[in-house]
């Protein structure tokens, strides 16, 4: 299967409200349409995770990130530009996303992906894509396809083919919490 066909099938699945397993710029992820509350609820159920814990979303560009946050502080762009590895930013004032995806304070965790597969997936989908690690809550994140638990493979609606043969270490993204006043909290290095 070509990467283009793989992305087409994943996009169709998400447009229909389905959940996918896919490779990201970090670890393998469980994903869905970040604007669809029912799809987001499915992801929480699959992960056996409380919906009080917000999840990360991937986007393909600066413009798409700005679509989901009212006011992006300048420090966010500076950190994104100088980050040496994938960086997730938690920002206040989320808009246009499923309410059950957001933290209690209305913030959202977003990451602009530059990895070819996930970037093209986000671009073709034209919306934010949920990107939570492919694991049951509390278990180790799946660094590679072979690390994904069989029950997860059976629980989702589509499993991407791209990068399944890969066997190399991957780490979750760094996470920083940014406030409108310029305050920066490092959540995960």
């Amino acid at each position: 299967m070509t990467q283009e066909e793989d992305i087409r099938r994943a996009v169709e699945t998400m447009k229909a409200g389905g959940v996918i397993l896919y490779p990201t710029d970090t670890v393998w992820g469980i994903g869905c349409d970040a604007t669809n509350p029912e799809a987001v609820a499915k992801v929480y159920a699959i992960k056996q995770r409380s919906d009080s814990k917000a999840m990360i979303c991937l986007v393909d560009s600066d413009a798409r990130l700005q679509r989901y946050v009212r006011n992006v502080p300048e420090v966010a762009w500076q950190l994104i530009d100088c980050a040496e590895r994938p960086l997730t930013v938690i920002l206040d004032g989320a808009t246009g996303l499923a309410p059950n995806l957001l933290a209690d304070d209305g913030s959202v965790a977003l990451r602009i992906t530059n990895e070819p597969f996930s970037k093209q997936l986000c671009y073709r989908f034209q919306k934010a894509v949920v990107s939570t690690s492919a694991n049951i809550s509390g278990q180790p994140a799946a660094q590679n396809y072979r690390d994904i638990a069989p029950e997860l493979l059976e629980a989702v609606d589509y499993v991407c083919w791209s990068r399944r043969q890969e066997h190399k270490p991957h780490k979750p993204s760094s996470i920083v919490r940014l406030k409108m006043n310029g305050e920066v909290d490092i959540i995960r290095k």
Side-chain angles (χ1 to χ4, degrees), residues 1 37 39 41 45 55 58-59 63 71 74 98 112 140 142 153 166 177 181-182:
M1 176 181 304
M55 294 186 285
L58 287 186
V59 293
N71 296 300
E74 184 56 37
I112 300 170
L153 295 170
E166 195 172 85
R177 172 77 165 96
N181 65 5

Side-chain angles (χ1 to χ4, degrees), residues 34-132:
T35 68
N36 181 330
E38 292 81 17
V40 170
K42 288 181 196 175
V43 174
Y44 281 118
I46 289 168
K47 282 189 66 81
Q48 300 170 25
R49 179 178 176 168
S50 164
D51 66 4
S52 65
K53 289 186 170 187
M55 294 186 285
I56 294 169
C57 296
L58 287 186
V59 293
D60 65 318
S61 66
D62 295 0
R64 191 102 48 218
L65 185 140
Q66 288 178 295
R67 183 171 160 188
Y68 297 113
V69 177
R70 288 184 188 93
N71 296 300
V72 180
E74 184 56 37
V75 69
W77 301 121
Q78 294 167 356
L79 289 169
I80 290 167
D81 288 344
C82 73
E84 294 180 6
R85 61 190 206 92
L87 174 68
T88 299
V89 291
I90 300 173
L91 300 167
D92 290 326
T95 185
L97 294 166
N100 54 341
L101 183 63
L102 308 179
D104 290 339
D105 64 2
S107 64
V108 63
L110 291 162
R111 184 168 72 248
I112 300 170
T113 180
N114 289 310
E115 181 274 327
F117 182 86
S118 55
K119 186 173 188 81
Q120 192 62 220
L121 176 70
C122 292
Y123 175 74
R124 294 280 177 219
F125 190 55
Q126 294 287 297
K127 293 183 189 178
V129 176
V130 168
S131 181
T132 185

